[in-house]
Amino acid sequence: MKINKPANEVFEAFVDPAKIGNYWFSSSSERWEKGKKILLRYDEYGAEGFINIIELQENKQINFSWGEQNDETVVTITLDVLDENSTIVKVSESGFKAEDPDIVTKMLGQKEGWIYMLSCLKSYLEHDIKDLRASLVH
């Protein structure tokens, strides 16, 4: 997704706990740094979970793992500078088990979640819209 903001602003939206609640999770326990275990909360859904920060390259890439033990996946968020005011954000998630009978459903659900998060991120950073996150109802 193209975000019309510099890479440093996009990067900070992910790693700064004061910003993540404007478009993705309700809260993040602390600033994201390599080696940290971060608690993310979704107050609206009564959910929480940990991510493990594997690698961070400032303004370029974020790698973390998440999920249940023995069912963890690895997420890579890449920030590609298009120009001084535009960043392409790419998200990939790996580690799904091929033998899992629900793999297609899980992968489609994750893809939809990433598209929604990126849409909320774009709305927040480009237009200061902070009330899109957590608007999906089942």
Side-chain angles (χ1 to χ4, degrees), residues 8-22:
N8 68 309
E9 288 185 42
V10 178
F11 182 81
E12 284 299 315
F14 284 102
V15 302
D16 184 343
K19 295 181 179 173
I20 202 166
N22 292 312

Side-chain angles (χ1 to χ4, degrees), residues 26-66:
S26 306
S27 65
S28 174
S29 60
E30 60 185 300
R31 184 173 179 82
W32 296 16
E33 294 176 8
K34 182 179 178 177
K36 287 196 173 183
K37 187 174 190 173
I38 308 293
L39 177 63
L40 299 173
R41 287 194 171 95
Y42 259 128
D43 293 340
E44 297 83 356
Y45 305 121
E48 65 182 32
F50 287 96
I51 63 170
N52 298 297
I53 307 297
I54 299 167
E55 187 68 47
L56 262 109
Q57 296 175 36
E58 189 170 349
N59 305 330
K60 292 183 184 196
Q61 188 166 304
I62 301 166
N63 295 76
F64 64 87
S65 63
W66 65 353

Side-chain angles (χ1 to χ4, degrees), residues 97-106:
K97 293 181 173 54
E99 66 277 3
D100 183 345
D102 297 322
I103 188 171
V104 173
T105 301
K106 287 179 182 177

Side-chain angles (χ1 to χ4, degrees), residues 13 17-28 40-47 113 115-124 128-137:
K19 295 181 179 173
I20 202 166
N22 292 312
Y23 71 94
W24 193 2
F25 292 94
S26 306
S27 65
S28 174
L40 299 173
R41 287 194 171 95
Y42 259 128
D43 293 340
E44 297 83 356
Y45 305 121
I115 291 168
Y116 182 64
M117 180 278 290
L118 289 169
S119 299
C120 292
L121 173 66
K122 182 175 181 69
S123 299
Y124 165 60
D128 200 33
I129 296 171
K130 301 174 185 174
D131 59 358
L132 288 180
R133 60 164 292 286
S135 294
L136 295 178
V137 262

